Amino acid sequence: MYNLIKKINDNFNLTSTRLTSTRIERKIKVYKYQTEFIKDNFYKIGFNNQYPDQFIESIYFDDQYLNFARSNINGELYRIKPRFRWYNDDLSKVNHEFKIKNGFNGYKSINNHLYKNLKSKNEMILATKKFYREFLNISLNEVVSVRYLRTYLNHPSGIRITVDRDIKASLLKNNIYYAMPFEVIEFKYNNNLDSFFRNSIFNQLNRLPIRLTKCSKYVESVIRLI
């Protein structure tokens, strides 16, 4: 996995791609509908809405052995999620992403030119698989589509929260969406804010029935649907 990440990083400038800054990402998985109660506590400690809520949908790709999913399940240090993503059902604003994780540190390799002049998801799937063959010399196929409603919160310190609910997933081969029985909260912030997050933010939430945990919506969907 590390060698594949190195290839993506070394050659991103050849593929009309930008790399985002590295940040710490910590997740909380909770039961369905629980985020509405928890979210009120975020407002009380200084978080505010950053953007309007958006529906997000992503199509994830993996090899025949689901090695990208397995690397997450096995707790490997380096992990990749190949996907393309769009917002509010608007396919004209679709991006390809490699979501890359090194422990709790994550960043994205984003390409917003790969799907130029393409109109349908099927065309985009074919273009994505061709991109993987030519750029990475690997054969990946579409596995699942995951859709959810996301709320964006921001703290004056620069710490961000995303709250994902109404999560649904579908195997691409049948296109039937199933509701997932959980919701996901994620804290995102620069590395230099980790002590502040632990001591000044998360400590204020210690009376809530939550804990930091690993949770990938892609992996959860694969486990439940395949």
Side-chain angles (χ1 to χ4, degrees):
M1 202 64 69
Y2 173 78
N3 290 334
L4 184 56
I5 292 174
K6 188 175 186 304
K7 186 170 185 179
I8 293 171
N9 291 343
D10 289 346
N11 296 287
F12 79 94
N13 59 327
L14 303 179
T15 58
S16 301
T17 298
R18 64 181 178 88
L19 296 181
T20 64
S21 300
T22 301
R23 65 190 182 190
I24 292 177
E25 301 174 340
R26 300 189 182 277
K27 294 183 179 180
I28 297 171
K29 178 183 173 184
V30 298
Y31 293 112
K32 197 171 183 179
Y33 308 120
Q34 199 173 358
T35 58
E36 282 304 307
F37 164 71
I38 296 173
K39 193 168 60 173
D40 288 339
N41 289 270
F42 297 151
Y43 294 130
K44 291 176 182 177
I45 63 173
F47 283 88
N48 292 289
N49 289 87
Q50 184 177 18
Y51 308 115
D53 289 1
Q54 295 192 94
F55 281 101
I56 299 176
E57 188 161 356
S58 301
I59 292 179
Y60 290 87
F61 293 76
D62 215 322
D63 64 20
Q64 62 178 325
Y65 304 108
L66 298 176
N67 278 318
F68 294 115
R70 291 178 188 275
S71 68
N72 190 288
I73 294 170
N74 295 335
E76 295 179 14
L77 181 64
Y78 298 103
R79 306 180 299 279
I80 308 174
K81 292 176 195 167
R83 67 193 182 195
F84 68 82
R85 167 173 289 188
W86 64 101
Y87 298 82
N88 295 325
D89 300 315
D90 186 357
L91 280 171
S92 69
K93 297 178 180 178
V94 62
N95 290 327
H96 178 273
E97 299 179 353
F98 291 110
K99 179 68 179 294
I100 300 170
K101 296 293 288 289
N102 177 356
F104 287 108
N105 289 281
Y107 63 96
K108 297 178 185 178
S109 171
I110 300 175
N111 184 315
N112 57 6
H113 299 286
L114 183 60
Y115 308 112
K116 188 176 181 181
N117 300 323
L118 300 183
K119 304 297 184 182
S120 72
K121 284 188 279 189
N122 286 337
E123 289 178 304
M124 293 172 185
I125 289 171
L126 292 175
T128 304
K129 295 198 287 190
K130 180 181 178 183
F131 172 64
Y132 295 148
R133 290 194 302 269
E134 295 179 352
F135 175 51
L136 299 176
N137 195 31
I138 57 175
S139 178
L140 303 181
N141 291 304
E142 66 278 18
V143 180
V144 297
S145 179
V146 180
R147 176 183 171 86
Y148 49 91
L149 180 63
R150 170 166 286 183
T151 296
Y152 302 83
L153 304 176
N154 191 50
H155 190 268
S157 65
I159 294 173
R160 294 177 55 230
I161 296 175
T162 54
V163 180
D164 297 338
R165 61 194 189 278
D166 193 21
I167 303 170
K168 298 181 176 68
S170 168
L171 295 177
L172 270 299
K173 62 184 179 183
N174 61 25
N175 206 35
I176 299 173
Y177 281 82
Y178 298 90
M180 297 290 106
F182 63 90
E183 299 174 333
V184 179
I185 299 165
E186 186 169 10
F187 297 90
K188 307 174 184 184
Y189 52 88
N190 293 335
N191 294 52
N192 61 354
L193 291 172
D194 197 36
S195 293
F196 178 81
F197 167 75
R198 291 173 176 275
N199 298 325
S200 300
I201 297 294
F202 202 67
N203 270 354
Q204 297 186 68
L205 303 171
N206 59 13
R207 63 185 180 82
L208 298 175
I210 60 175
R211 65 184 182 91
L212 298 173
T213 185
K214 183 174 67 173
C215 180
S216 162
K217 290 184 285 294
Y218 166 58
V219 173
E220 293 278 353
S221 301
V222 166
I223 291 173
R224 294 171 188 276
L225 299 182
I226 292 182

